[in-house]
Each structure stands twice: as C-alpha cells, then as structure tokens.
Amino acid sequence: MGASAQAPTREATLALLLRQGQVSASALAGQLNISVQAMRRHLRTLEDEGLVESSAVSAGPGRPSNQWRLTQQGHQHFPDGSETFAIDLLESMVTSLPAETLATLLNSQALHKADLYRRQLGDGSLEERIRILVQLRSNEGYVSEMVPATDGLGWCINEYHCSVQRIAEEHPAVCDQELLVIRMTFQDCQVERVHWRLESGHSCGFEIKPQANPLPQPKSDLHA
C-alpha cells in the first residue's frame, strides 16, 4: 500500500471507482466527505502506484474535467476467484476421472501450450529463443530470467514467481506439466528441472542444453 494514502480512504476510493466507472475528484470527495484537495492527493498517489488513471472529459461549456477510473492493475487489486475455481475444477477432475484420462488431458494442454510457444519463438538461435520465452513467461506472471548454465553448455531459466503456485501446491502434477511444456518447446534440446520451489529454495529452474540427436518436430495441431 502507498504510504501517503490512508488505507480507509484508499480502499473506499478504489471501491467507488469499481462501482461507478468514471468519477471526478470532486464527486469522489463529496461521497467520502473529504476536501477536493485531499482527494486529488489520494488519486495522485494511487496513480503513481498504477491503480488509477484519468482523462479530460468535456461536459459542455467551460474547462474539461478530469474523470478518474481504475486501470487493469486497479481491477486486479480486488479478489479474483479464478484461481479458486481452477483448483476446485482440478479437484473435481481428480476425483471423477481415471488417472490415465486426467494425465491425457494435462498432456494435451501442455502440447498445445508448447505449440503456441514454438510459433512465437521462431527459428532463431537457442539463446534468442530462450530470451523470447523468458519474456513470454514473465508476461504470464512467472517473473523469469535466463542465466548461463553452470557448465557453460546451455542456459538456465529461473522463475521466481509462479502464476499457478496455489494450484501447484495442491496438485504437484501441474509442475510436471510445466516441465513437459518446456521440453516440448525446445525439442532440439535436453531440458531438466534443476530446482523446484515446492521442494526447497525460492524459485523453479529449468536447464536447457542442445542435444546431438534432437527429437523430430511434431506437426502443429493449430491453424496459422
């Protein structure tokens, strides 16, 4: 939380913007019973944090007024039930489906994801492809980086935040699926998990090294 914005006013402001869409500083001030100047200070703090943004809107003669709204990050400030839904759905699948069927579904999803990755990575060098994947994974919430392998023969992807952490804690098989995704993305390489945050440490790591006899590339199951 921002040090400048008091928690009650901060949360009340975000809640009003969520309910009302676009609101002026003066309207917000009136609803929260504080001065317009104080409200503008709160809004500027929230803007600095990336939670709100404003645009000038003309409502007739005179000077346009700033209308404030939540950013995408501001919307994400509120609880999201999608993770709980995913865990509950996976729980239902585990209890109602044969283990072989569940494994087939997870593997199918991994192959689909790897196919999407390969399309975006292109045919560059291994370093170039890994660099692109690190950016894609970071955009998905994994907070990834690439570093040279300890023996200098490849690269290691370290991921310090897992976007499916809660799901993985309940169902570690999801982590096996993540490893399969990386392996199928780099089929011309040897891919091993070198550290796993569910066992120890604070990150997951995948080591990627070229191999002498790469696997044959499968036909894509997606249309361009």
Side-chain angles (χ1 to χ4, degrees):
M1 290 187 176
S4 300
Q6 297 178 5
T9 301
R10 168 198 175 92
E11 296 304 318
T13 300
L14 293 172
L16 284 173
L17 290 172
L18 180 68
R19 294 190 185 100
Q20 299 177 21
Q22 287 199 148
V23 191
S24 68
S26 59
L28 288 169
Q31 293 178 76
L32 296 179
N33 197 30
I34 62 176
S35 70
V36 176
Q37 291 78 10
M39 174 51 64
R40 285 178 179 148
R41 287 196 297 271
H42 285 302
L43 288 169
R44 294 301 180 192
T45 299
L46 293 171
E47 183 179 39
D48 290 342
E49 296 175 16
L51 298 176
V52 303
E53 61 187 3
S54 67
S55 59
V57 176
S58 177
R63 183 179 178 182
S65 63
N66 275 347
Q67 295 290 307
W68 292 87
R69 59 185 173 272
L70 295 177
T71 61
Q72 182 178 359
Q73 183 178 340
H75 281 281
Q76 292 171 352
H77 171 79
F78 294 90
D80 182 357
S82 60
E83 189 176 67
T84 300
F85 174 80
I87 293 174
D88 291 344
L89 178 60
L90 194 51
E91 288 279 7
S92 298
M93 293 170 65
V94 168
T95 57
S96 61
L97 294 176
E100 296 80 6
T101 302
L102 181 59
T104 298
L105 288 172
L106 289 175
N107 287 346
S108 177
Q109 194 277 338
L111 293 172
H112 179 84
K113 183 71 172 179
D115 188 74
L116 287 174
Y117 278 155
R118 287 196 304 271
R119 287 171 171 270
Q120 296 175 85
L121 301 190
D123 300 320
S125 68
L126 178 57
E127 180 179 355
E128 291 169 342
R129 286 181 286 149
I130 292 176
R131 197 174 300 280
I132 295 171
L133 180 65
V134 164
Q135 184 60 58
L136 292 174
R137 299 280 286 183
S138 294
N139 292 343
E140 294 172 5
Y142 287 89
V143 189
S144 302
E145 69 169 11
M146 62 181 289
V147 296
T150 53
D151 60 6
L153 299 179
W155 301 88
C156 184
I157 296 178
N158 294 319
E159 298 186 332
Y160 297 98
H161 179 267
C162 177
S163 64
V164 293
Q165 176 69 23
R166 273 196 60 210
I167 300 174
E169 289 171 352
E170 298 285 338
H171 302 280
V174 170
C175 296
D176 295 332
Q177 182 194 27
E178 289 294 299
L179 177 58
L180 179 60
V181 167
I182 305 300
R183 283 178 171 167
M184 296 304 297
T185 300
F186 296 97
Q187 293 183 327
D188 56 341
C189 297
Q190 177 182 344
V191 178
E192 300 295 340
R193 181 162 51 210
V194 290
H195 43 94
W196 187 20
R197 64 185 302 158
L198 291 186
E199 288 185 340
S200 63
H202 64 289
S203 65
C204 291
F206 304 96
E207 193 171 70
I208 304 173
K209 297 181 179 181
Q211 61 182 9
N213 299 307
L215 296 173
Q217 297 288 324
K219 293 182 179 179
S220 170
D221 60 351
L222 301 179
H223 296 291

